[in-house]
Amino acid sequence: MILKLAAGIYSYLPLGLRAIRKVEAIIREEMNRAGAIEVLLPFVQPAEIWQESHRWEAYGKNWVG
């Protein structure tokens, strides 16, 4: 159902993706019932955001690339 490509990087096969989508639907339904608002944030972010918060230096070489 799931193939590991590298540390923390996975490919989801059809059955695994179907299971994830079912879990998402359940969570979304409960969050909507509670009045929550869903957001979608980008995975890639500008370096300036991380530099301003001083996390750029803290993470060092643990960056993608």
Side-chain angles (χ1 to χ4, degrees):
M1 292 193 307
I2 300 172
L3 293 175
K4 183 175 182 177
L5 298 176
I9 303 173
Y10 299 90
S11 291
Y12 298 97
L13 301 176
L15 189 57
L17 182 57
R18 185 175 176 195
I20 288 171
R21 293 227 167 113
K22 284 186 175 190
V23 170
E24 286 177 346
I26 293 167
I27 292 170
R28 187 170 287 116
E29 180 181 319
E30 294 299 323
M31 295 298 287
N32 287 340
R33 188 175 299 143
I37 299 172
E38 185 172 353
V39 298
L40 180 62
L41 303 174
F43 177 73
V44 178
Q45 301 172 352
E48 293 81 19
I49 295 172
W50 292 78
Q51 290 165 342
E52 287 176 19
S53 64
H54 304 289
R55 291 179 289 166
W56 187 262
E57 296 82 16
Y59 283 92
K61 296 182 179 181
N62 294 325
W63 297 103
V64 174

